[in-house]
Amino acid sequence: MTPPTTLVLGATGFIGRWLTLDLLRRGEPVAAAVRGPARGGELRAWLADHGLAEDSGLTLVRADVTRPDLGLSPEDEARLGAVRDVYNLAALYRFGLTREEARRANVDGALHPLRWAAARPGLRRLVHLSGYRVGRGGTPMDATGTDRLYRELGAYEASKQEGDAAVRALAPELGVPLTVVNPGVVIGHSVTGEAGQYIGLALLVEQLWTGRLPALAGSRRTVVPVVAVDHLAAFLAAVPRHDDDPVSVHTVLDPATPPLPELIGRVAARLGVRAPRLVLPVRLVRRLPRALTGVEPESLSFLVEDRYDTASAERLARRAGIGHPPVGDLLERWAVRLVADGFGRAGGAAPVPAPTTAPATAPTDR
């Protein structure tokens, strides 16, 4: 087998497996980092279910981003001698984490891959996955500022911001060519709607489907920008071929994403359920008991009216020949698939009836 030239950390995660599939389909020999044999078997089975042959050029290595040198055995370290592109998609995405848990996964787990990549003799690029609400400052904070960040945002988002800033500061010192990719909310496949991640916006759709969404938090102008998982995978795969600056930063999301009330309205129309008419200001929702609102407090910091600069990502996507799918169709397919999959629970749910007419409030798609 050809030695792998790409290492994907976080290969068994929602985005990582789609990236691994995309790279292997392009003929790129890939090493997928897994935590143990069981996860490796799950990844191989998922890839086979998506049409990939067993002899596709995949190498499995056991790695742990929370450990120095990734915790690699000498044998696996030797297997990675030809690696030139390193993708760090590993992160712990969950609300309610302790600060220690979050920092170990999302700060240590960002710096250890960077230091490991710096020792690669043939390194072309490290690609670090962050988030659209992360990294706009780009410089590490002092202890007081970091403490405030964790208090205000919660452990998940604060640790992602801390890790992002640390990577961007250290990469130039180590001479590591770096691309930071900041995706929007990653939802389903543009054709099948297949998801695999059931928190965040997906939880909102579940509450809508089960009649537990009496109101939305935010405003009529709140936008939670989305991106199709296959678009993001194709973008990530293209980065090392098109980025050559010492440090590049791209925000990858669909600017055509409608405001949140309109987005939920379109999904509700497709699912045949009633959309909430009431929109409550975030400051009010923060004061209400969680048992009443059903809202995870850490998610409220994402409910803003901000817009994001996607110009660099759009330029790279044009050079790579990729584009966003129509966002309305994407949202509908994803929502239907979430219901069919039972929002990640065994057994699924009754199928959603096919639409008879386009919803009157549907946004215009590109």
Side-chain angles (χ1 to χ4, degrees):
M1 182 182 292
T2 305
T5 54
T6 298
L7 172 63
V8 179
L9 299 162
T12 59
F14 173 48
I15 301 168
R17 63 194 183 201
W18 285 104
L19 172 61
T20 301
L21 178 63
D22 191 291
L23 290 167
L24 290 170
R25 282 176 171 170
R26 296 171 189 268
E28 186 77 25
V30 175
V34 299
R35 294 293 293 268
R39 298 304 302 275
E42 291 170 5
L43 177 60
R44 286 193 184 278
W46 187 90
L47 293 170
D49 287 345
H50 290 74
L52 203 69
E54 189 172 343
D55 59 349
S56 58
L58 177 67
T59 299
L60 297 178
V61 296
R62 192 165 184 168
D64 182 351
V65 297
T66 68
R67 297 174 59 189
D69 298 320
L70 309 182
L72 292 165
S73 68
E75 295 77 15
D76 281 341
E77 181 73 53
R79 291 187 182 98
L80 301 177
V83 164
R84 61 177 183 168
D85 298 326
V86 178
Y87 289 90
N88 186 14
L89 279 57
L92 188 55
Y93 178 27
R94 191 171 75 233
F95 297 133
L97 296 169
T98 67
R99 180 168 175 171
E100 180 182 355
E101 288 173 326
R103 291 196 78 257
R104 184 167 59 249
N106 300 333
V107 181
D108 295 343
L111 292 173
H112 290 150
L114 169 60
R115 293 190 175 101
W116 184 86
R120 301 302 94 199
L123 182 70
R124 179 167 63 171
R125 188 149 292 263
L126 169 66
V127 183
H128 174 81
L129 192 73
S130 198
Y132 73 102
R133 297 288 299 163
V134 173
R136 286 172 293 174
T139 56
M141 293 185 177
D142 59 19
T144 301
T146 301
D147 289 344
R148 184 174 64 252
L149 196 69
Y150 278 83
R151 286 196 306 272
E152 292 176 353
L153 301 180
Y156 167 69
E157 190 180 358
S159 66
K160 289 294 289 182
Q161 295 222 19
E162 186 183 0
D164 179 277
V167 165
R168 288 210 250 173
L170 185 58
E173 293 182 20
L174 299 181
V176 172
L178 172 69
T179 293
V180 177
V181 175
N182 298 313
V185 174
V186 186
I187 61 173
H189 190 278
S190 62
V191 177
T192 67
E194 181 180 345
Q197 189 161 271
Y198 303 101
I199 66 173
L201 193 56
L203 180 58
L204 209 60
V205 176
E206 182 179 9
Q207 292 170 333
L208 176 71
W209 172 251
T210 55
R212 295 181 293 114
L213 190 66
L216 293 173
S219 76
R220 297 287 174 187
R221 296 179 298 278
T222 294
V223 176
V224 180
V226 301
V227 60
V229 68
D230 50 317
H231 176 88
L232 178 60
F235 185 93
L236 289 166
V239 162
R241 303 195 306 272
H242 293 279
D243 269 351
D244 52 18
D245 290 338
V247 177
S248 297
V249 181
H250 304 297
T251 298
V252 184
L253 53 84
D254 192 337
T257 304
L260 184 61
E262 188 177 341
L263 183 158
I264 292 297
R266 176 145 192 169
V267 168
R270 178 63 187 90
L271 297 181
V273 298
R274 185 182 299 275
R277 296 184 178 181
L278 187 62
V279 180
L280 301 177
V282 168
R283 65 181 181 277
L284 173 60
V285 176
R286 288 191 190 278
R287 297 193 190 104
L288 296 174
R290 182 179 175 184
L292 176 65
T293 66
V295 175
E296 165 56 57
E298 285 187 52
S299 70
L300 292 174
S301 63
F302 292 86
L303 300 179
V304 295
E305 299 176 7
D306 296 357
R307 299 300 185 266
Y308 306 91
D309 183 1
T310 61
S312 68
E314 298 297 337
R315 286 194 297 270
L316 191 150
R318 283 194 297 271
R319 293 198 301 271
I322 56 178
H324 292 286
V327 69
D329 293 345
L330 169 66
L331 289 164
E332 291 185 11
R333 290 168 181 159
W334 170 64
V336 170
R337 184 62 180 263
L338 285 174
V339 172
D341 292 344
F343 297 91
R345 298 176 181 87
V352 177
T356 55
T357 59
T361 58
T364 301
D365 293 332
R366 286 201 305 263

